[in-house]
Amino acid sequence: MESFVAILQIREFTEISIIDIAERANINRSTFYAHFLDKEDLLQQMVDEKLDTLTEVLITSSGQGMYIPSPSDPDPLLLALFEHVFAHAAFYRVLLHRNLPGQLQAKWTDAIRNGFFCRISSLGLGQKLEVPLELLLDFIAFSTGGIIGKWLEDNCAYSPHHMALQVTRIAGFGMYPSMGMHR
């Protein structure tokens, strides 16, 4: 799978053949076909594997007890998210910045969304929400996913800890106070 990611970094999905993948992985085509139906199946399995791992990481992080927002400590869920993405940066760059078939970016957003849904559910805050849950989860998933996409595009110029802390601060202070607008 790493060979496939390496090829996807330099070539469009439609331009890649099974021979390209097999040669890069130093296997023969029959070995490839013993594990995958075609390159679409390889892509789907690769995405499913990584996003399943991400989901496990986020669920584990969201259940680590009551998190008290702090401007000096990153949210453990955000830290786990940024660390996971950093550890698999080549894969996520391909996923988020290449034109791949299927609804792969939607699955990425759903994984983030579900991680935060687990956090909210575990806290029992459903009745205390200030905005509808669906809008809140969409805002979190799309803004966090967008920040991560830009961070990857910038070759992870900051550490996962730094990024998680900055996103924690934006979330904790709120969008307007983070812009310097105060009541």
Side-chain angles (χ1 to χ4, degrees), residues 55 58-59 109-119 137:
T55 298
L58 295 179
I59 288 171
T109 304
D110 285 345
I112 297 171
R113 194 176 199 282
N114 290 337
F116 278 92
F117 177 75
C118 288
R119 153 82 59 80
L137 290 171

PDB file of all heavy atoms in Angstrom, residues 55 58-59 109-119 137:
ATOM      1  N   THR A  55     -10.523   6.438  13.236  1.00  0.00           N
ATOM      2  CA  THR A  55     -11.743   6.389  14.044  1.00  0.00           C
ATOM      3  C   THR A  55     -11.450   5.790  15.414  1.00  0.00           C
ATOM      4  O   THR A  55     -11.905   6.322  16.439  1.00  0.00           O
ATOM      5  CB  THR A  55     -12.837   5.584  13.308  1.00  0.00           C
ATOM      6  OG1 THR A  55     -13.129   6.261  12.075  1.00  0.00           O
ATOM      7  CG2 THR A  55     -14.099   5.464  14.135  1.00  0.00           C
ATOM      8  N   LEU A  58      -9.609   8.379  17.506  1.00  0.00           N
ATOM      9  CA  LEU A  58     -10.485   9.461  17.966  1.00  0.00           C
ATOM     10  C   LEU A  58     -11.453   8.979  19.044  1.00  0.00           C
ATOM     11  O   LEU A  58     -11.704   9.692  20.021  1.00  0.00           O
ATOM     12  CB  LEU A  58     -11.235  10.073  16.787  1.00  0.00           C
ATOM     13  CG  LEU A  58     -10.366  10.783  15.751  1.00  0.00           C
ATOM     14  CD1 LEU A  58     -11.218  11.317  14.615  1.00  0.00           C
ATOM     15  CD2 LEU A  58      -9.536  11.880  16.380  1.00  0.00           C
ATOM     16  N   ILE A  59     -11.994   7.790  18.888  1.00  0.00           N
ATOM     17  CA  ILE A  59     -12.917   7.262  19.896  1.00  0.00           C
ATOM     18  C   ILE A  59     -12.178   7.046  21.214  1.00  0.00           C
ATOM     19  O   ILE A  59     -12.677   7.406  22.283  1.00  0.00           O
ATOM     20  CB  ILE A  59     -13.598   5.975  19.397  1.00  0.00           C
ATOM     21  CG1 ILE A  59     -14.610   6.326  18.304  1.00  0.00           C
ATOM     22  CG2 ILE A  59     -14.276   5.224  20.541  1.00  0.00           C
ATOM     23  CD1 ILE A  59     -15.203   5.132  17.579  1.00  0.00           C
ATOM     24  N   THR A 109     -14.029  13.386   6.435  1.00  0.00           N
ATOM     25  CA  THR A 109     -14.805  14.338   7.229  1.00  0.00           C
ATOM     26  C   THR A 109     -15.703  13.601   8.220  1.00  0.00           C
ATOM     27  O   THR A 109     -15.823  14.007   9.377  1.00  0.00           O
ATOM     28  CB  THR A 109     -15.644  15.244   6.298  1.00  0.00           C
ATOM     29  OG1 THR A 109     -14.755  15.890   5.374  1.00  0.00           O
ATOM     30  CG2 THR A 109     -16.402  16.297   7.084  1.00  0.00           C
ATOM     31  N   ASP A 110     -16.315  12.515   7.771  1.00  0.00           N
ATOM     32  CA  ASP A 110     -17.174  11.722   8.662  1.00  0.00           C
ATOM     33  C   ASP A 110     -16.394  11.141   9.832  1.00  0.00           C
ATOM     34  O   ASP A 110     -16.914  11.054  10.949  1.00  0.00           O
ATOM     35  CB  ASP A 110     -17.867  10.595   7.896  1.00  0.00           C
ATOM     36  CG  ASP A 110     -19.002  11.083   7.018  1.00  0.00           C
ATOM     37  OD1 ASP A 110     -19.457  12.244   7.204  1.00  0.00           O
ATOM     38  OD2 ASP A 110     -19.442  10.317   6.142  1.00  0.00           O
ATOM     39  N   ALA A 111     -15.158  10.732   9.601  1.00  0.00           N
ATOM     40  CA  ALA A 111     -14.347  10.179  10.688  1.00  0.00           C
ATOM     41  C   ALA A 111     -14.110  11.244  11.765  1.00  0.00           C
ATOM     42  O   ALA A 111     -14.236  10.957  12.965  1.00  0.00           O
ATOM     43  CB  ALA A 111     -13.023   9.643  10.151  1.00  0.00           C
ATOM     44  N   ILE A 112     -13.784  12.462  11.357  1.00  0.00           N
ATOM     45  CA  ILE A 112     -13.583  13.550  12.320  1.00  0.00           C
ATOM     46  C   ILE A 112     -14.904  13.852  13.032  1.00  0.00           C
ATOM     47  O   ILE A 112     -14.962  13.983  14.257  1.00  0.00           O
ATOM     48  CB  ILE A 112     -13.049  14.819  11.624  1.00  0.00           C
ATOM     49  CG1 ILE A 112     -11.680  14.551  11.015  1.00  0.00           C
ATOM     50  CG2 ILE A 112     -13.003  15.995  12.606  1.00  0.00           C
ATOM     51  CD1 ILE A 112     -11.172  15.660  10.122  1.00  0.00           C
ATOM     52  N   ARG A 113     -15.947  13.946  12.257  1.00  0.00           N
ATOM     53  CA  ARG A 113     -17.284  14.226  12.790  1.00  0.00           C
ATOM     54  C   ARG A 113     -17.685  13.192  13.848  1.00  0.00           C
ATOM     55  O   ARG A 113     -18.159  13.533  14.929  1.00  0.00           O
ATOM     56  CB  ARG A 113     -18.264  14.208  11.622  1.00  0.00           C
ATOM     57  CG  ARG A 113     -19.608  14.776  11.868  1.00  0.00           C
ATOM     58  CD  ARG A 113     -20.373  14.733  10.518  1.00  0.00           C
ATOM     59  NE  ARG A 113     -21.481  15.614  10.515  1.00  0.00           N
ATOM     60  CZ  ARG A 113     -22.643  15.350  11.109  1.00  0.00           C
ATOM     61  NH1 ARG A 113     -22.810  14.227  11.749  1.00  0.00           N
ATOM     62  NH2 ARG A 113     -23.624  16.231  11.066  1.00  0.00           N
ATOM     63  N   ASN A 114     -17.459  11.918  13.539  1.00  0.00           N
ATOM     64  CA  ASN A 114     -17.829  10.843  14.461  1.00  0.00           C
ATOM     65  C   ASN A 114     -16.995  10.871  15.734  1.00  0.00           C
ATOM     66  O   ASN A 114     -17.500  10.556  16.816  1.00  0.00           O
ATOM     67  CB  ASN A 114     -17.715   9.485  13.772  1.00  0.00           C
ATOM     68  CG  ASN A 114     -18.772   9.294  12.719  1.00  0.00           C
ATOM     69  OD1 ASN A 114     -19.824   9.924  12.739  1.00  0.00           O
ATOM     70  ND2 ASN A 114     -18.484   8.441  11.749  1.00  0.00           N
ATOM     71  N   GLY A 115     -15.718  11.237  15.613  1.00  0.00           N
ATOM     72  CA  GLY A 115     -14.874  11.355  16.808  1.00  0.00           C
ATOM     73  C   GLY A 115     -15.416  12.401  17.768  1.00  0.00           C
ATOM     74  O   GLY A 115     -15.497  12.169  18.980  1.00  0.00           O
ATOM     75  N   PHE A 116     -15.815  13.546  17.223  1.00  0.00           N
ATOM     76  CA  PHE A 116     -16.369  14.591  18.080  1.00  0.00           C
ATOM     77  C   PHE A 116     -17.777  14.245  18.559  1.00  0.00           C
ATOM     78  O   PHE A 116     -18.167  14.620  19.664  1.00  0.00           O
ATOM     79  CB  PHE A 116     -16.314  15.958  17.391  1.00  0.00           C
ATOM     80  CG  PHE A 116     -14.972  16.594  17.527  1.00  0.00           C
ATOM     81  CD1 PHE A 116     -13.999  16.406  16.562  1.00  0.00           C
ATOM     82  CD2 PHE A 116     -14.657  17.344  18.644  1.00  0.00           C
ATOM     83  CE1 PHE A 116     -12.740  16.968  16.701  1.00  0.00           C
ATOM     84  CE2 PHE A 116     -13.406  17.913  18.797  1.00  0.00           C
ATOM     85  CZ  PHE A 116     -12.438  17.726  17.816  1.00  0.00           C
ATOM     86  N   PHE A 117     -18.530  13.509  17.763  1.00  0.00           N
ATOM     87  CA  PHE A 117     -19.840  13.054  18.217  1.00  0.00           C
ATOM     88  C   PHE A 117     -19.684  12.133  19.430  1.00  0.00           C
ATOM     89  O   PHE A 117     -20.433  12.259  20.408  1.00  0.00           O
ATOM     90  CB  PHE A 117     -20.601  12.337  17.097  1.00  0.00           C
ATOM     91  CG  PHE A 117     -21.920  11.780  17.551  1.00  0.00           C
ATOM     92  CD1 PHE A 117     -22.997  12.626  17.765  1.00  0.00           C
ATOM     93  CD2 PHE A 117     -22.080  10.422  17.790  1.00  0.00           C
ATOM     94  CE1 PHE A 117     -24.220  12.126  18.205  1.00  0.00           C
ATOM     95  CE2 PHE A 117     -23.287   9.911  18.224  1.00  0.00           C
ATOM     96  CZ  PHE A 117     -24.361  10.772  18.430  1.00  0.00           C
ATOM     97  N   CYS A 118     -18.693  11.255  19.379  1.00  0.00           N
ATOM     98  CA  CYS A 118     -18.436  10.373  20.530  1.00  0.00           C
ATOM     99  C   CYS A 118     -18.065  11.199  21.758  1.00  0.00           C
ATOM    100  O   CYS A 118     -18.505  10.896  22.869  1.00  0.00           O
ATOM    101  CB  CYS A 118     -17.325   9.378  20.212  1.00  0.00           C
ATOM    102  SG  CYS A 118     -17.823   8.102  19.059  1.00  0.00           S
ATOM    103  N   ARG A 119     -17.266  12.240  21.566  1.00  0.00           N
ATOM    104  CA  ARG A 119     -16.891  13.114  22.686  1.00  0.00           C
ATOM    105  C   ARG A 119     -18.136  13.755  23.289  1.00  0.00           C
ATOM    106  O   ARG A 119     -18.360  13.717  24.483  1.00  0.00           O
ATOM    107  CB  ARG A 119     -15.916  14.175  22.191  1.00  0.00           C
ATOM    108  CG  ARG A 119     -15.875  15.502  22.931  1.00  0.00           C
ATOM    109  CD  ARG A 119     -15.061  15.590  24.209  1.00  0.00           C
ATOM    110  NE  ARG A 119     -13.675  15.293  24.140  1.00  0.00           N
ATOM    111  CZ  ARG A 119     -12.712  16.108  23.716  1.00  0.00           C
ATOM    112  NH1 ARG A 119     -13.000  17.302  23.251  1.00  0.00           N
ATOM    113  NH2 ARG A 119     -11.459  15.733  23.758  1.00  0.00           N
ATOM    114  N   LEU A 137     -21.389  19.694  14.625  1.00  0.00           N
ATOM    115  CA  LEU A 137     -20.518  18.636  14.125  1.00  0.00           C
ATOM    116  C   LEU A 137     -19.975  18.968  12.728  1.00  0.00           C
ATOM    117  O   LEU A 137     -18.799  18.706  12.430  1.00  0.00           O
ATOM    118  CB  LEU A 137     -21.243  17.297  14.118  1.00  0.00           C
ATOM    119  CG  LEU A 137     -21.531  16.711  15.501  1.00  0.00           C
ATOM    120  CD1 LEU A 137     -22.442  15.495  15.385  1.00  0.00           C
ATOM    121  CD2 LEU A 137     -20.239  16.363  16.231  1.00  0.00           C
TER     122      LEU A 137
END
